[in-house]
Structures are given as C-alpha cells and as structure tokens.
Amino acid sequence: MRKFFFCVLLSFCASTLYAQKTLFDTVFTLVKERSVYTQRVNWDSLTPIMYSRLDVTKADSAEAVLATFGTLMQALKDMHSSMSYKGKVNGNPDAWAFVNSKITPEMREAVKKGYDRLRIAMLPGNYGYISIPAAGIEATEDMQVAIEKMTAIAQNISDSLCTLQRKPLKGLIIDLRLNTGGSTPALIGGMASVLPDGRCFTFSTSGNAREEMRLKEGNLFYDTLQMTKLKNLCRPKKTPKVAVLISGYTTSAGEHAAIALKGSSHTRFFGSPTRGQITGNETIFLRKDVTLSLSTAWAEDKTGKKYMVDVAPDVLVPDGADFEHLDNDKSVLAAISWFATGK
C-alpha cells in the first residue's frame, strides 16, 4: 500500500512539474522573442537561473509561474510588464519603488479627493481646461466589445472638448497629470478634435516593425482597423494653442496621449517628467484565467521621435498643483502666461 501511494505521489509531482514547465516555457519564450528589453540580458546564462527559480512545490502551475515571472522582469529591468491570475498581478518587484519616486504628495492627495475624473472648466480670459483621466478597459479577446468600450470613452472626452471648443477660446489646457493609462486608442481617439488627420502615434517593436495610429475624418485607425466611431465630432476651423500638463503620475496610455500631442508648434508641455512606464504593452491570453501584459513596443510621435524613458515637459513646474483652485495652480498659471505672452 505504501509503495502504491509513493508511486501515485511521484506521478502527481511529475505531472505538476510538467504543467509548470509547459506554462513557463510559453511565458519565457514570449518574453525572449517579443520583449523590447530582450537585448538587456544574456539569455544563455539567464535561462538556467530562471528555471531553477520555478517553485515545483506549488500544485497550481499558474501560481508557480506567476511568482517566477516577477524575477524574470527584474532581470530585464522591465518596469511595465505584468502577469495576472485570479485577481493576482505580479511584475518586477522593483517597479513600485521606481514609480513611487516620481509621484508627489500633492498628486496623491488630488487622487484621494477624486480629481482623477473627466472634468472641464472655463478659466478667466477665455481659457478652456479639461482634465482627462485614465481609460480603464477590462481585457477581452472580443475585439468588437473592446472597440465599443473604447469608442464610449473617446466619445465622452470628445463631447467634453466640444463643449469647450464652442466657446471663443484663447487657449486650451489639457491636463494629463492624473492619468494613469488604460486604453491608448480611447484616449488619443477622444482628443481627435485637437489633432489633425494623419499619423498621430506609432508603436515600434525591437525588430523595427511599426504599427501606426492615424486619424481619418476624426476617427482613429490602428493600421487598417477602425478603433473609434465618434458621433458629433466638432473641429474648430482654427485650433487654439494647447498647453499639456503632465506629471510623475502620468502613466502608460496617459504618456501615449501626451506623445500624440507632441510635434506641433502650437502645443507646449508643462509640469514634470512622466512616470516612465511608457512602453506599448501587448495583452496575451495564455489561458482564460491567465493574462500576460508584455512590453513589446516603443512609442513614437508623429515626427518619428522615439520615447524610451519618459515624456519631459518644455517648462518644468515641479510642484504647486492645486486642482481645487485652478487659478492658483502653478502649471495652469504657467500655461496661461504662455497663451498671453508666448513665453
């Protein structure tokens, strides 16, 4: 009986180890072949180290791989990729310290008070203000559902901009300081009324493959796929000067939205450098309950400039944010000064 039990136990351990190794093989190969950081490590020496870290005592193969994935991202110094399983998310254990160093107490306080929402205001002097928040969309394999959700978010942004643009604006402030990302097409598509038709943003992979986002009659196309289907788009005959506010809280798709606004003579950036989780991440469904968000591309603006670290402001305003009293906000005041004087 004891011998039979040992054989069953041995068989169970072998099958568990096989499941763990099979799943980790898939993850490891995807990272090695697609990550923009693949050139940072020596894979010949890293491979045996990573496989030795796989916890073979865990019966749940996804749990075992989830734990090892963080170590792999740490080796690549990838601060943006993550793996999700049953509500648990794991990535580079150094990432929190990295992003935390850029977030000021006043930005944290603004989020606590609920200012990380879509809102507009008219400021004295006919200056329009819009704060654009994150565009959170749950990952789905159904592209039609994703497009509907992206369009809904983009439409809300577009409608808010139209409310401002119906007025005789002397300048427009787009505040991305509390934008923590989400859907890049939703954010860029929502800003179509302040962007010209044509290429506005590009993802480029480590192998130099390029996927462009273009606006056509105010709707966003990702290569040939239409990502937004807006109604009642208003585009002023003359676009006013646009001041873009950014901070260390501006993350991922929020950084991409900022990049889409780059490359224009009538646009200027104020605030502090963005968080630096700036890669384009591909969502990969390993199983229905296991999702990989992998950094597979760099972001480029309409001029072809690649952003590999963060987005820096033209005018550094490191502190003095006041979301409650915008007429006392240092970044807002710096933007208004530029509108009025050109300096």
Side-chain angles (χ1 to χ4, degrees):
M1 182 70 179
R2 184 177 298 175
K3 183 177 180 181
F4 173 76
F5 175 76
F6 178 76
C7 289
V8 171
L9 180 63
L10 184 62
S11 175
F12 173 77
C13 291
S15 62
T16 300
L17 178 58
Y18 176 78
Q20 291 175 352
K21 186 176 182 303
T22 299
L23 182 59
F24 191 62
D25 282 345
T26 301
V27 173
F28 195 82
T29 301
L30 283 168
V31 173
K32 184 178 179 179
E33 293 181 352
R34 298 195 197 178
S35 172
V36 291
Y37 301 113
T38 190
Q39 300 299 323
R40 286 184 171 181
V41 297
N42 182 322
W43 289 99
D44 289 339
S45 58
L46 182 63
T47 299
I49 294 173
M50 287 296 106
Y51 277 89
S52 70
R53 300 281 176 87
L54 195 60
D55 188 351
V56 296
T57 66
K58 290 184 180 291
D60 189 325
S61 60
E63 285 276 7
V65 175
L66 188 70
T68 310
F69 181 78
T71 307
L72 178 58
M73 293 302 99
Q74 190 174 41
L76 268 69
K77 296 182 173 59
D78 181 341
M79 303 295 180
H80 199 192
S81 294
S82 62
M83 183 177 171
S84 303
Y85 173 59
K86 289 184 177 180
K88 296 180 181 178
V89 181
N90 197 22
N92 188 339
D94 299 329
W96 175 243
F98 169 74
V99 301
N100 193 42
S101 66
K102 286 196 170 185
I103 304 174
T104 62
E106 61 187 6
M107 294 300 167
R108 293 186 198 281
E109 188 63 24
V111 172
K112 285 183 181 178
K113 291 181 177 179
Y115 287 109
D116 56 337
R117 65 184 190 277
L118 181 64
R119 63 184 186 127
I120 61 173
M122 280 300 297
L123 305 178
N126 284 340
Y127 301 117
Y129 170 91
I130 180 170
S131 176
I132 300 179
I137 294 177
E138 187 176 348
T140 175
E141 293 181 274
D142 190 327
M143 182 54 69
Q144 187 56 43
V145 170
I147 288 173
E148 289 173 1
K149 291 180 177 179
M150 286 186 283
T151 294
I153 293 172
Q155 189 70 63
N156 284 337
I157 297 170
S158 179
D159 290 346
S160 298
L161 279 169
C162 282
T163 299
L164 293 174
Q165 290 171 313
R166 291 190 186 102
K167 304 178 186 298
L169 297 181
K170 291 183 179 178
L172 174 64
I173 298 172
I174 297 179
D175 195 343
L176 299 173
R177 288 178 295 178
L178 300 180
N179 189 308
T180 53
S183 167
T184 298
L187 292 175
I188 297 177
M191 300 189 304
S193 63
V194 296
L195 293 168
D197 278 349
R199 185 178 67 189
C200 56
F201 183 83
T202 301
F203 282 128
S204 62
T205 69
S206 57
N208 292 321
R210 304 176 84 256
E211 297 179 342
E212 296 182 348
M213 290 190 191
R214 289 180 172 270
L215 287 168
K216 183 180 180 180
E217 297 179 353
N219 281 306
L220 189 73
F221 288 77
Y222 192 0
D223 284 342
T224 59
L225 180 63
Q226 185 172 351
M227 306 298 285
T228 61
K229 301 176 182 179
L230 301 184
K231 299 177 181 178
N232 305 318
L233 178 70
C234 61
R235 275 178 158 174
K237 292 182 180 180
K238 184 179 180 181
T239 303
K241 284 184 175 181
V242 177
V244 184
L245 311 188
I246 55 176
S247 77
Y249 217 93
T250 310
T251 313
S252 189
E255 294 174 284
H256 302 161
I259 290 169
L261 292 162
K262 284 280 189 180
S264 172
S265 60
H266 69 272
T267 303
R268 201 168 191 185
F269 285 65
F270 300 83
S272 53
T274 58
R275 192 178 299 194
Q277 291 181 308
I278 204 164
T279 53
N281 279 28
E282 182 180 353
T283 300
I284 303 168
F285 289 86
L286 301 170
R287 295 185 335 208
K288 286 188 176 181
D289 57 349
V290 183
T291 307
L292 181 63
S293 176
L294 183 62
S295 299
T296 58
W298 298 113
E300 294 181 4
D301 64 24
K302 62 174 65 72
T303 69
K305 178 181 177 180
K306 188 177 295 185
Y307 294 77
M308 302 176 71
V309 179
D310 55 26
V311 182
D314 300 305
V315 179
L316 182 63
V317 187
D319 53 24
D322 191 339
F323 291 89
E324 185 174 357
H325 305 100
L326 293 172
D327 56 355
N328 189 49
D329 187 298
K330 287 185 179 179
S331 289
V332 171
L333 291 174
I336 291 175
S337 176
W338 173 61
F339 291 148
T341 67
K343 299 179 181 180

